[in-house]
Amino acid sequence: MSGINYSEKIPNNVNLSEDRTLQRALEQWQPNFINWWDDMGPEGSTDMDVYLRTAVSVDPQGWAQFGHVKMRDYRWGVFLNPGEQDRKIHFGDHIGEKAWQDVPGEHRANLRRIIVTQGDTEPASVEQQRHLGLTAPSMYDLRNLFQINVEEGRHLWAMVYLLHKYFGKDGREEADALLQRNSGNEDNPRILQAFNEKTPDWLSFFMFTYFTDRDGKFQLCALAESAFDPLARTTKFMLTEEAHHMFVGESGVGRVIQRTVNAMNELKTDDVAKLRAAGVIDLPTIQRYINFHFSVTIDLFGADQSSNAATFYSSGLKGRYEEGKRTDDHVLKGNSYKILSVEDGKLVEKEVPMLNALNEVLRDDYITDSKGGIERWNRVIEKAGIQYKLTAPHKAFHRNIGSLSGAKITPDGRVVTDAEWMAKVGEWLPTNEDRAYVASLMGRVVEPGKFANWIAPPVMGINRQPVDFDYVRFN
Ligand SMILES: [Fe+2]
Ligand SMILES: [Fe+2]
């Protein structure tokens, strides 16, 4: 069951060849996907052979096989974690009933929406990152970017399979539309705003893969609890791929910090101008990038009070993070939860029914998880003997959705006037000057074992290869 059949046009472990209609429909979608990859995938990468991992089985041990491949020949396919015998629904109004192997009519529209929204983010991030290869700080980093890009393409396949198999004609139309919307396109943009923003430089890329791919992790974890069993099994396998994306972000930012603190010690200075003259990224700029990416990403969890969130939970479509490990009744009818709002110029906590606050619950779990990496980045600074602490901004800072939307709140959680906000925002969010400076550092460094001046080499290579391995062959 867990073995993947690579002899078919579309690699899969779902016995695709037994459903000729579905197989034919997906085989018709496949060339459109390749066309999209050629048009919107990594720029100028067609001839490169990239040291990529490919799934060979969905077993937790050794699912990956490494080798140099052209990205357009990557074996994108359909991989589901093995099913659990007699799996039961473990939350919401249907708790204790058998998990669904098909889509119940009354939940069809909501499930389709959830799958389309998730599916839309996958190709969107490939589009956002398509120019980054031109300014890679090393061959090692270039390979990691491409690995993430092909796996986001695979995640699109995961959602498209569900749309084709379970949603008939509507599903096929939605699958086509996933290749028609484009990140940042004025007429036909991606569904979620964060996926229409640019990823203009590698510091943004590492921040994105640390913070925004982690949003992906939390959404996938919530869907991995779903009563709709094929969705749960699909997202479980996607999560094993997602871990590498967050690793690239965390280690990437960590290496930027390492290089900066090395320069601070060599030059014995924390003067921003001197550090910039030395071509490294000063810690206050890194803090402003954190503030930006953190705040934009926590908006992705949606409004703090949402009747949709309540419906998705009660009907069993989407659980909480680690639903199975929680010890409450998993129905949550009389429970409450605290959310924030601004009243009379102050931040106040309000108790609201938990079912309506489930976006906030997921956001809070995300915040706890994302703070872990910031602490690990602080250890790099500490180890270098430098007094500086990076922090996550307050949850209410720079928000654009829900009851905090548009409120003027500092990174340490103080409500301020519009005038104070305007005067200080340049200390809190990346300025045009910061962005221009970071952009000025971006140049292509791709000789094996060489690294751009603004980033330290990694401690280890990929798949136990040396750091100066030829991860990408340019041909
Ligand atoms: Fe993804
Ligand atoms: Fe990802």
Side-chain angles (χ1 to χ4, degrees), residues 154-225:
R154 225 279 314 151
H155 289 178
L156 171 60
W157 271 94
M159 294 297 112
V160 163
Y161 165 72
L162 295 178
L163 289 170
H164 271 242
K165 181 163 169 81
Y166 297 98
F167 294 88
K169 184 165 171 286
D170 308 355
R172 289 193 294 277
E173 283 169 11
E174 293 284 13
D176 290 343
L178 285 168
L179 296 175
Q180 285 153 7
R181 284 184 293 271
N182 289 138
S183 178
N185 187 306
E186 265 180 42
D187 303 321
N188 200 6
R190 291 295 173 186
I191 295 169
L192 300 171
Q193 188 40 36
F195 290 88
N196 287 308
E197 305 282 350
K198 289 203 166 76
T199 308
D201 59 66
W202 278 75
L203 182 59
S204 301
F205 170 67
F206 291 136
M207 293 285 174
F208 185 97
T209 47
Y210 183 77
F211 288 109
T212 311
D213 281 77
R214 187 175 309 274
D215 158 71
K217 167 186 161 181
F218 276 76
Q219 301 298 345
L220 294 175
C221 280
L223 296 177
E225 308 285 342

Side-chain angles (χ1 to χ4, degrees), residues 87-286:
R87 181 170 170 250
K88 298 270 189 300
I89 300 170
H90 60 302
F91 64 93
D93 297 342
H94 303 288
I95 195 164
E97 294 171 22
K98 267 174 105 171
W100 314 321
Q101 297 308 324
D102 219 323
V103 179
E106 70 268 37
H107 302 313
R108 190 183 161 86
N110 278 338
L111 266 173
R112 194 182 61 205
R113 191 79 207 143
I114 288 171
I115 291 166
V116 166
T117 306
Q118 179 63 42
D120 194 67
T121 66
E122 313 291 358
S125 66
V126 176
E127 293 165 357
Q128 288 172 296
Q129 296 163 12
R130 69 179 302 249
H131 304 297
L132 288 173
L134 305 178
T135 56
S138 76
M139 185 183 266
Y140 164 90
D141 290 292
L142 185 63
R143 179 262 162 216
N144 285 347
L145 166 72
F146 289 160
Q147 181 73 61
I148 292 173
N149 292 160
V150 294
E151 285 175 354
E152 301 303 5
R154 225 279 314 151
H155 289 178
L156 171 60
W157 271 94
M159 294 297 112
V160 163
Y161 165 72
L162 295 178
L163 289 170
H164 271 242
K165 181 163 169 81
Y166 297 98
F167 294 88
K169 184 165 171 286
D170 308 355
R172 289 193 294 277
E173 283 169 11
E174 293 284 13
D176 290 343
L178 285 168
L179 296 175
Q180 285 153 7
R181 284 184 293 271
N182 289 138
S183 178
N185 187 306
E186 265 180 42
D187 303 321
N188 200 6
R190 291 295 173 186
I191 295 169
L192 300 171
Q193 188 40 36
F195 290 88
N196 287 308
E197 305 282 350
K198 289 203 166 76
T199 308
D201 59 66
W202 278 75
L203 182 59
S204 301
F205 170 67
F206 291 136
M207 293 285 174
F208 185 97
T209 47
Y210 183 77
F211 288 109
T212 311
D213 281 77
R214 187 175 309 274
D215 158 71
K217 167 186 161 181
F218 276 76
Q219 301 298 345
L220 294 175
C221 280
L223 296 177
E225 308 285 342
S226 182
F228 178 41
D229 201 48
L231 177 61
R233 290 167 54 199
T234 306
T235 47
K236 272 184 193 142
F237 185 69
M238 291 164 77
L239 279 163
T240 65
E241 293 167 310
E242 204 63 55
H244 175 68
H245 308 179
M246 290 177 290
F247 158 80
V248 168
E250 180 170 336
S251 59
V253 176
R255 288 161 51 214
V256 175
I257 294 169
Q258 183 68 62
R259 178 67 190 100
T260 300
V261 294
N262 290 352
M264 289 171 81
N265 282 336
E266 282 156 28
L267 301 170
K268 297 190 175 39
T269 186
D270 58 5
D271 184 278
V272 170
K274 283 183 188 155
L275 290 166
R276 288 190 175 189
V280 298
I281 304 176
D282 49 284
L283 298 178
T285 296
I286 293 172

